[in-house]
Amino acid sequence: MAKDGSHLESDYCKHLAKPHGHRKCRGGRCPKWKAGAWSQCSVSCGRGVQQRHVGCQIGTHKIARETECNPYTRPESERDCQGPRCPLYTWRAEEWQECTKTCGEGSRYRKVVCVDDNKNEVHGTRCDMSKRPADRESCSLQPCEYVWITGEWSECSVTCGKGYKQRLVSCSEIYTGKENYEYSYQTTINCPGTQPPSVHPCYLRECPVSATWRVGNWGSCSVSCGVGVMQRSVQCLTNEDQPSHLCHTDLKPEERKTCRHIYNCELPQNCKEVKRLKGASEDGEYFLMIGGKLLKIFCAGMHSDHPKEYVTLVHGDSENFSEVYGHRLHNPTECPYNGSRRDDCQCRKDYTAAGFSSFQKIRIDLTSMQIITTDLQFARTSEGHPVPFATAGDCYSAAKCPQGRFSINLYGTGLSLTESARWVSQGNYAVSDIKKSPDGTRVIGKCGGYCGKCTPSSGTGLEVRVL
């Protein structure tokens, strides 16, 4: 350039050293793939798989998005592995036991176990189930005699008005091969004649007619923030729960009332909104506005575009578990020890669906307000196969002595099961004994049959409400 700032041809400056137009510089560290240590082989023998964590990092600790690293140089995260040769397993059948009946058609059983090369007993799933010897066969003895057995009548079911009395009526088989008669429960088609009645009407005295106002629980506020309305049912019912017009209208409780939430309406209502409103990207507990109330919800997978919501159970896995009991009686018509848990019975432990799972957190769908019982991300299976939340079952006996158990304790979470929550029994001779606390926060159940189980009736989950 000339001194006045105008541009000149480069030949005018050829007697001068031309300054450099570029120079070297050092930027920050480039993202690189970081591979963790390989896990143990997935099997203890034979061919299995090893896995390891592979992530994109800047330096030693800073995590980067995988798109920032070269996809063609990504280390493998899974590889085959070969363990020692697997042992050979065979079935071993023991001697047949005596017939379960002393007359008529019965069954006899024998113990069939899976053994290894050293004749040690192992789990039945290791042997070929298609080659398993029979552990039961029928046995026929002399014909049986049958008789109706009736118990004592109970007291009247009411203290006034129309009620009923009850008694036990059963068809029993008479074993005459011993000094004294021995009875056992049978189906009613075997007994002669007409079945004696088990229910009888009774009437003690006329009941005085009275009616009172009955109120239901307040529903949720119609809005999640600001001023809304709550409603409840109010009915005039007699002491026999029949609709009546005898209640005083002046004493009728209110059916509607206003409700207000002073919380900020911009509070997040799901984990996806936590990312949008707060910019959070770490998994953890966050306060969400659900049903007009603040609840503490655990957000998992916050690094993804679709994080999931979980409820942390205050009482943990000690009171939140599901079990499918693995024992099966050799004689499925018995219910020994009055239905108690005993592992030293005449039974085998080869039910392949058995397992015990405990839960620290449960996943909840905030749109349908349902617990997703099959999500096992925060569950721990201590034995057997995973068992979904709030389910149970067993193959213990065809009699009514369910051994499978489950427990739910939502106390302290701000949630409870809806009043319509039910369980369905499935399977052969399926029975269940389920008890729920009045506020719906605690449920304890026993389920089973031969082989039976119980599952939540909604199929996809358990509906909950905000307390």
Side-chain angles (χ1 to χ4, degrees), residues 91 97 108-113 121 132-136 325-332 343-351 395-396 450-451:
W91 293 107
Q97 298 178 358
R108 64 176 186 172
Y109 299 85
R110 65 179 176 181
K111 187 176 182 181
V112 177
V113 295
E121 184 176 337
R132 187 179 189 275
D135 59 358
R136 173 190 178 277
Y325 194 51
H327 287 73
R328 292 199 290 173
L329 288 169
H330 289 306
N331 181 0
D343 293 346
D344 57 350
C345 57
Q346 291 294 316
C347 52
R348 57 191 182 277
K349 191 175 182 181
D350 60 355
Y351 186 24
C395 271
Y396 190 66
Y450 197 84
C451 295

Side-chain angles (χ1 to χ4, degrees), residues 240-313:
E240 293 182 347
D241 293 331
Q242 297 298 316
S244 173
H245 300 286
L246 299 177
C247 300
H248 293 288
T249 55
D250 295 340
L251 301 177
K252 184 178 180 181
E254 61 179 346
E255 296 180 88
R256 294 163 57 91
K257 70 177 181 180
T258 59
C259 53
R260 65 178 64 245
H261 293 294
I262 60 175
Y263 307 116
N264 182 1
C265 293
E266 281 297 303
L267 282 175
Q269 298 185 28
N270 54 54
C271 292
K272 196 170 184 179
E273 290 189 8
V274 171
K275 293 187 65 175
R276 180 177 65 85
L277 296 174
K278 297 188 175 184
S281 60
E282 297 289 331
D283 291 4
E285 302 278 2
Y286 296 92
F287 281 104
L288 305 184
M289 180 66 72
I290 301 172
K293 293 189 177 182
L294 278 176
L295 291 186
K296 187 183 287 186
I297 298 294
F298 185 90
C299 294
M302 291 291 282
H303 60 281
S304 69
D305 293 332
H306 300 283
K308 300 175 183 178
E309 292 86 3
Y310 292 83
V311 176
T312 300
L313 300 166

Side-chain angles (χ1 to χ4, degrees), residues 18-30:
K18 186 178 182 179
H20 292 291
H22 63 271
R23 68 178 180 183
K24 293 182 179 180
C25 60
R26 178 178 294 277
R29 292 190 177 183
C30 295

